[in-house]
Amino acid sequence: MQHTATQDTLVGLFVAAGIAGLFFLALQVSNLSSFGSEETYSVTASFESSGGLKVKSAVSAAGVKIGKVTAIRFDPKTYQSVVTMAIESQYATLPEDTTASIFTAGLLGEQYVNLEPGGSDDVLKNGSKIDITQSAIILEKVIGQFLFKSAEEKAQGDKKE
Amino acid sequence: MMQFFQRLGADTRTSFTKLGRATYFLLATLAGILSVLPRPRLLMNQLFSVGVLSFLIITISGLFVGMVLGLQGFYILSDFGAEESLGIMVAASLVRELGPVVTALLFAGRAGSALTAEIGLMKATEQLSGMEMMAIDPIRRIISPRFLAGFISMPLLAALFSAVGIIGGQLVGSGLLGVDDGSYWSQMQNQIDFYDDIINGIIKSVIFGFVTSWIALFEGYDAIPTSEGVSRATTRTVVNSAFSILILDFILTALMFGDK
């Protein structure tokens, strides 16, 4: 009987270790612990271009992640990109005139939405729309403008001489 | 020429009858699981020999696979100055692919071959026929508990493999090579999704456990009852399991991660 008891203990330990492994994966490795059943409210913002923004991209304010992008769609009437964001309810104090801009983390990093609070007394509610937005910087455009500008300056310089 | 067609026809017929026997065997095994449930002792014994005895090889392999991923990933990523992404690289490759696949291959080699040899020998020494003579259904008594044990053990072993591997990657990455510990974990947590990555990995390992146990038990049960037949059946178990695991893995990956 001693033998079966040891065997049972070992089987029990094995199953417990397996389940512990699963829990480890769920809580330590994946994003299940953050934003699990957290209450959120959603706001939208229209951008001229949302660049490389993706669903699940971070929404942050003052460098702290406070929510994520839940949907991005193209508005066929205004030809703009409408980004829906879910923001944690504990941060429901963002003023109505908050500015939303799309920034890049580092030079080649992921793009994210940065919210900069304004000074209004009214706050953003579920379904509100952020009016002041700043589009993603598209590197090709910037380089194109820079090249065009420097070429123009050179041409003007040539004329003067 | 005629002989070639005759051979082809015979081979086709043999493989189809084998497939039919295997399907019938699987259905009988699944039906037999119901009669295992009231006798947990049978299942416990098999969980011990299939699961517990595979524990060591799985954890040690997992640790070293994770450590190698940490080293190789570091060398590649540091070329791009992206060592901080080591955590996501190690975790994604383990949770999505290496965890389920390598565990299944090791499981087929460690537990599957043992199952085939055991059942093949039972058949060769006429223990199975002896049971039938005593009106004990060998499928319900011998096969079903082993099948259930394999089916239960696989996802647990795969989860352990991934977990230990991620810790191994962290040991090498932040312990040896100086990747920041915080960014190792935080990048991982940002990028690995519970449903998309971890649950899909577990689904994979459940399917692999099902297929590996089925192949191992069927090959043993279907073995020619001689010492040579048992040895061939054991080889076939390992080869066929490896093939099915790798082919299924490709199909499952295409289905699960295709829309990204």
Side-chain angles (χ1 to χ4, degrees), chain B residues 120-167:
Chain B
L121 267 177
M122 280 187 179
K123 193 181 178 190
T125 52
E126 297 187 336
Q127 292 181 50
L128 295 183
S129 336
M131 277 188 175
E132 269 170 25
M133 293 299 283
M134 292 189 286
I136 299 170
D137 183 359
I139 293 220
R140 273 197 268 172
R141 171 84 197 185
I142 302 290
I143 308 288
S144 294
R146 285 168 173 72
F147 182 81
L148 196 57
F151 186 67
I152 295 173
S153 304
M154 231 344 254
L156 295 176
L157 289 171
L160 266 172
F161 186 96
S162 303
V164 172
I166 288 165
I167 294 171

Side-chain angles (χ1 to χ4, degrees), chain B residues 83-138:
Chain B
E83 303 95 286
E84 264 64 49
S85 305
L86 185 67
I88 154 87
M89 193 200 130
V90 170
S93 37
L94 275 171
V95 170
R96 287 185 187 173
E97 292 296 335
L98 290 175
V101 172
V102 177
T103 309
L105 291 174
L106 290 172
F107 184 81
R110 164 68 187 75
S113 56
L115 286 176
T116 309
E118 188 187 13
I119 290 166
L121 267 177
M122 280 187 179
K123 193 181 178 190
T125 52
E126 297 187 336
Q127 292 181 50
L128 295 183
S129 336
M131 277 188 175
E132 269 170 25
M133 293 299 283
M134 292 189 286
I136 299 170
D137 183 359

Side-chain angles (χ1 to χ4, degrees), chain B residues 26 38 83 85 158-159 163 180 197 211 213 235:
Chain B
L26 179 68
E83 303 95 286
S85 305
D180 180 45
D197 296 319
V211 171
S213 315
T235 313

Side-chain angles (χ1 to χ4, degrees), chain A residues 1 4 24 36-37 52 61 69 76 89 116 123 159:
Chain A
M1 248 8 233
T4 47
F24 173 79
S37 50
V69 173
S89 296
E116 201 153 305
V123 293
K159 255 184 210 167

Side-chain angles (χ1 to χ4, degrees), chain B residues 172-253:
Chain B
V172 168
S174 72
L176 217 64
L177 301 168
V179 175
D180 180 45
D181 204 31
S183 54
Y184 183 87
W185 293 113
S186 69
Q187 289 252 353
M188 194 189 293
Q189 285 163 0
N190 272 338
Q191 295 290 324
I192 302 281
D193 189 77
F194 182 68
Y195 299 100
D196 284 353
D197 296 319
I198 293 182
I199 293 286
N200 275 346
I202 291 169
I203 293 174
K204 267 188 183 176
S205 65
V206 168
I207 294 173
F208 294 160
F210 186 94
V211 171
T212 319
S213 315
W214 178 23
I215 291 177
L217 292 168
F218 175 70
E219 289 293 355
Y221 194 73
D222 203 50
I224 302 161
T226 58
S227 35
E228 199 199 351
V230 174
S231 111
R232 276 197 191 162
T234 315
T235 313
R236 267 206 307 273
T237 295
V238 177
V239 173
N240 290 352
S241 301
F243 272 143
S244 336
I245 289 162
L246 295 171
I247 292 169
L248 271 176
D249 181 53
F250 175 74
I251 297 171
L252 288 172
T253 303

